[in-house]
Amino acid sequence: MNIRIMTADEAGAGILKRRPLNEAMSAPGIEVRNRELFGEPLSAEQAVARIIDDVRENGDDAVRRYARLLDGCAADVFEVPQGEIDEAAASLPSGLKDALETAAGRIRTYHERQPAGSWTHWDEEGGTGQIIRPLERVGVYVPGGGAAYPSSLLMAVIPARVAGVNEVVVATPPGRDGAVPPVVLAAASLAGVNAVYRMGGAQAVAAMAYGTGTIAPVDKIVGPGNIFVTLAKRQVYGIVDIDQLAGPTETLLIADEAASPDLAAADLLAQAEHDPMATAILITPSMALAVAVQAAVDDQLRELDRADIVRSSLAGNGGIVLVSDLDEAVELANGYAPEHLCLLVSEPWPLVDRIRNAGGIFVGEHSSEALGDYVTGPSHVMPTGGSARYHSPLSVRDFLKITSLFAVNEIAERRLGPSAIELADAEGLSAHAMALRRRLSKDRNGG
């Protein structure tokens, strides 16, 4: 059997138990690999710190050095020429071009409903308010190297463009031939990217954070990546803003006896094919459904190109969890706080109101997570690792900043000043109190 059936207690001690980010993302052999590369058995975090320091000190030369060392190739010029981007967009097959345009249109329409507006409130005491402005320059990391992810580019770039970001650049690792896949370049053209850089890994994050001789620094870095990208984002946070620390992707299904075993199995397999560390879990009160899904997974797995990855994912992180009822299923889901939560139940809407923690809720069998990955509209860059307890999917708000507005008049100053003085004195900040007292005195010259 490729997927296990287990009790809630077994799941709680295993697949539903959250692990620290480093542990959840660590792949076997990292220290051995780092010894070969760096001459020392460095942890992933130590290797990333070394790369970042080197890029900060040595700029483009360091980026090229790590590209050759880690990826096997390095571009002489990082930025993809505009002519190459235009050619990729023009030569894309019509069906794929139409699919990208459909996805881009729906993503843009969804995010255009999100922007928050500036506001001011005026009364007899003056005014207060907030001014909303977009970030100036944003860097989007798009995974690559062995695969192409135009959808991830669209899902991150378009919300930034809707927010009004002035300049959006993309960093993506090239293939062994040193080229970025044409479909990614076509997506960049469609989304309005200002520049595409052929670079990946921690060195790309460091280059966008600190800048190099040829790459200007950004204000924020967004987008998913492997453990080295994620750890690099964590280490440069504070120099730049980041969207989140993305761990392995995860989907949790809640299904009852009315669910289709074939569709539930297909949804689990679609998630498991992402990566050996991906998580695909079904929670159900129906033993009959659990057994049928288990059989359907075995049957459908034979048809998949990435069957080895799926088997590894299901063996290490997947499972079918039996619960007493849907109430227990919802309780487990809220505790786990999944990236994707799919409700394959006969009456899903009553459960929606009870879900407190999830990156995205997929309501009913027609709302598949696979559809959401591409064309539904909301960004598929969503919180993982349980961070849906406090974090949100990527949205227009990630690319906006708030400036508070203070415009009180003399009436408010005299009404509020005494309270402010009391608080300043309580905190021992005598200069604050003096600044207030001078304003409240009748003689504004200090007499």
Side-chain angles (χ1 to χ4, degrees):
M1 293 295 178
N2 289 293
I3 190 166
R4 297 163 294 160
I5 298 176
M6 63 191 75
T7 66
D9 287 341
E10 290 171 332
I15 58 174
L16 292 178
K17 184 178 181 180
R18 289 298 188 183
R19 295 174 291 163
L21 179 67
N22 291 15
E23 182 182 335
M25 295 189 71
S26 62
I30 282 183
E31 291 193 4
V32 174
R33 174 68 169 158
N34 285 342
R35 182 192 288 274
E36 296 173 356
L37 296 173
F38 299 101
E40 301 176 56
L42 302 177
S43 67
E45 195 144 17
Q46 290 169 327
V48 165
R50 180 167 296 187
I51 292 168
I52 290 174
D53 288 343
D54 198 354
V55 172
R56 183 172 54 188
E57 291 296 322
N58 299 298
D60 292 330
D61 290 341
V63 176
R64 291 192 186 94
R65 188 183 323 117
Y66 289 111
R68 285 191 293 268
L69 184 66
L70 302 174
D71 301 327
C73 66
D76 292 331
V77 177
F78 296 121
E79 185 172 352
V80 178
Q82 186 60 47
E84 188 176 332
I85 295 175
D86 294 340
E87 182 181 350
S91 62
L92 207 65
S94 59
L96 185 52
K97 181 179 180 181
D98 290 345
L100 285 177
E101 290 176 347
T102 296
R106 291 186 62 88
I107 296 166
R108 185 172 293 106
T109 297
Y110 175 85
H111 287 90
E112 283 173 347
R113 298 189 176 104
Q114 287 186 337
S118 300
W119 60 266
T120 55
H121 170 74
W122 296 93
D123 57 27
E124 72 278 1
E125 296 182 345
T128 55
Q130 66 178 23
I131 300 170
I132 307 291
R133 291 196 174 100
L135 303 180
E136 279 292 313
R137 181 174 162 89
V138 166
V140 175
Y141 189 91
V142 177
Y149 295 100
S151 61
S152 292
L153 187 150
L154 296 178
M155 294 287 183
V157 172
I158 290 175
R161 281 301 190 203
V162 172
V165 174
N166 185 53
E167 194 171 1
V168 182
V169 300
V170 164
T172 187
R176 287 284 177 175
D177 60 356
V180 175
V183 67
V184 174
L185 296 180
S189 176
L190 182 62
V193 170
N194 294 92
V196 178
Y197 297 118
R198 292 174 286 211
M199 58 182 187
Q203 62 271 24
V205 173
M208 290 191 288
Y210 291 100
T212 68
T214 61
I215 299 167
V218 301
D219 300 314
K220 184 167 188 170
I221 299 172
V222 304
N226 63 17
I227 183 173
F228 296 99
V229 171
T230 299
L231 292 176
K233 287 169 68 177
R234 182 163 71 181
Q235 291 187 28
V236 301
Y237 175 67
I239 302 299
V240 294
D241 191 16
I242 62 171
D243 54 343
Q244 59 177 294
L245 297 173
T249 185
E250 56 201 32
T251 287
L252 190 151
L253 315 179
I254 295 178
D256 60 14
E257 66 281 353
S260 163
D262 284 345
L263 294 182
D267 288 349
L268 292 171
L269 293 171
Q271 182 62 29
E273 78 167 342
H274 275 291
D275 186 278
M277 291 181 284
T279 297
I281 298 171
L282 167 65
I283 302 179
T284 181
S286 171
M287 173 60 89
L289 179 72
V291 172
V293 169
Q294 188 180 57
V297 165
D298 286 348
D299 187 49
Q300 294 177 29
L301 188 55
R302 301 187 186 99
E303 306 172 22
L304 301 181
D305 296 333
R306 296 164 65 90
D308 289 344
I309 292 175
V310 172
R311 289 190 183 95
S312 179
S313 170
L314 294 179
N317 310 300
I320 300 173
V321 184
L322 282 172
V323 291
S324 57
D325 52 32
L326 291 179
D327 290 340
E328 186 180 4
V330 169
E331 183 179 354
L332 288 176
N334 279 325
Y336 186 69
E339 179 186 13
H340 311 102
L341 177 59
C342 305
L343 301 178
L344 309 185
V345 298
S346 57
E347 296 292 337
W349 283 107
L351 296 189
V352 171
D353 291 338
R354 297 168 55 196
I355 301 300
R356 301 189 308 276
N357 303 321
I361 303 173
F362 298 77
V363 185
E365 288 184 335
H366 297 297
S367 303
S368 67
E369 187 267 327
L371 198 67
D373 268 350
Y374 297 109
V375 295
T376 306
S379 177
H380 72 205
V381 181
M382 293 197 283
T384 62
S387 62
R389 293 179 295 109
Y390 54 81
H391 204 61
S392 306
L394 192 72
S395 73
V396 168
R397 296 177 188 88
D398 283 286
F399 304 102
L400 300 173
K401 57 183 179 180
I402 298 174
T403 300
S404 297
L405 186 65
F406 305 78
V408 299
N409 58 23
E410 185 176 357
I411 295 172
E413 182 182 56
R414 293 195 172 279
R415 184 179 297 173
L416 300 175
S419 295
I421 290 170
E422 288 286 342
L423 292 170
D425 286 339
E427 293 182 355
L429 297 178
S430 58
H432 281 67
M434 182 176 68
L436 292 163
R437 286 190 174 99
R438 284 183 176 275
R439 282 174 166 78
L440 296 180
S441 66
K442 291 183 179 180
D443 182 354
R444 287 301 184 97
N445 294 317

